[in-house]
Amino acid sequence: MSGKKRKVEEDMEKRRQMMENLKEIKVLDASSLSYSTRVKWFFICFAAGILCSILGTALLFLPGGVKLFAVFYTLGNLAALFSTCFLMGPLKQLKRMFEPTRLIATIVMLLCLVLTLCAVFWWHKKGLAIIFCILQFLAMTWYSISYIPFARDAVMKCFTTCLS
């Protein structure tokens, strides 16, 4: 009888731990925030991203502004990317980022973010940093339109029509 009781107690403890783990996951999920809070923080974070990108672009024309441009432009893209975590939650965002349809776009986008900073701080190649910023823009655009049904197909068809 004590063996059965111990087994029941162990099962209850496992269930309690599972519930605690679910609560921890819930904290990481956007649904723990109210809808209005999620939307507000999405707009705040997205606006901060746009502001950083615009500020970076304005700083580009100052002496030594390429470094500031690269940093602010990269921070702006990161803020815009993270803003969507408020809408769908960070775990769901990460899962969706690495779905097969977005995998290449995600990897290229993240790689361009890192390479931009490497080019400006470690390699000291300003021209390369600007090229990586352009690639950041293109990769972020391609990644973003992957969330719109058939948008990539429409863009591809538009470019093939224009080029042929």
Side-chain angles (χ1 to χ4, degrees), residues 12-13 25 28 40 44 50 53 58 60 65 74 76 101 105 109 117-118 122 138 140 145 155 158:
M12 292 295 286
E13 180 62 23
I25 290 172
L28 294 174
K40 286 176 192 172
I44 289 169
I50 291 172
S53 295
L60 177 63
T74 301
T101 56
M109 177 185 58
L117 297 177
C118 288
W122 287 280
L138 295 172
M140 189 72 142
I145 66 171
V155 169
C158 180

Side-chain angles (χ1 to χ4, degrees), residues 69-112:
F69 166 70
V71 169
F72 277 99
Y73 192 79
T74 301
L75 286 175
N77 278 338
L78 284 173
L81 180 65
F82 289 134
S83 69
T84 56
C85 289
F86 288 105
L87 295 180
M88 67 176 84
L91 294 177
K92 191 173 181 181
Q93 171 78 7
L94 284 172
K95 286 178 186 174
R96 292 191 75 187
M97 282 177 72
F98 291 98
E99 286 176 350
T101 56
R102 293 185 189 90
L103 183 62
I104 294 172
T106 300
I107 291 170
V108 169
M109 177 185 58
L110 294 174
L111 192 62
C112 285

Side-chain angles (χ1 to χ4, degrees), residues 20 24 57 74:
E20 286 297 315
E24 289 176 21
T57 304
T74 301

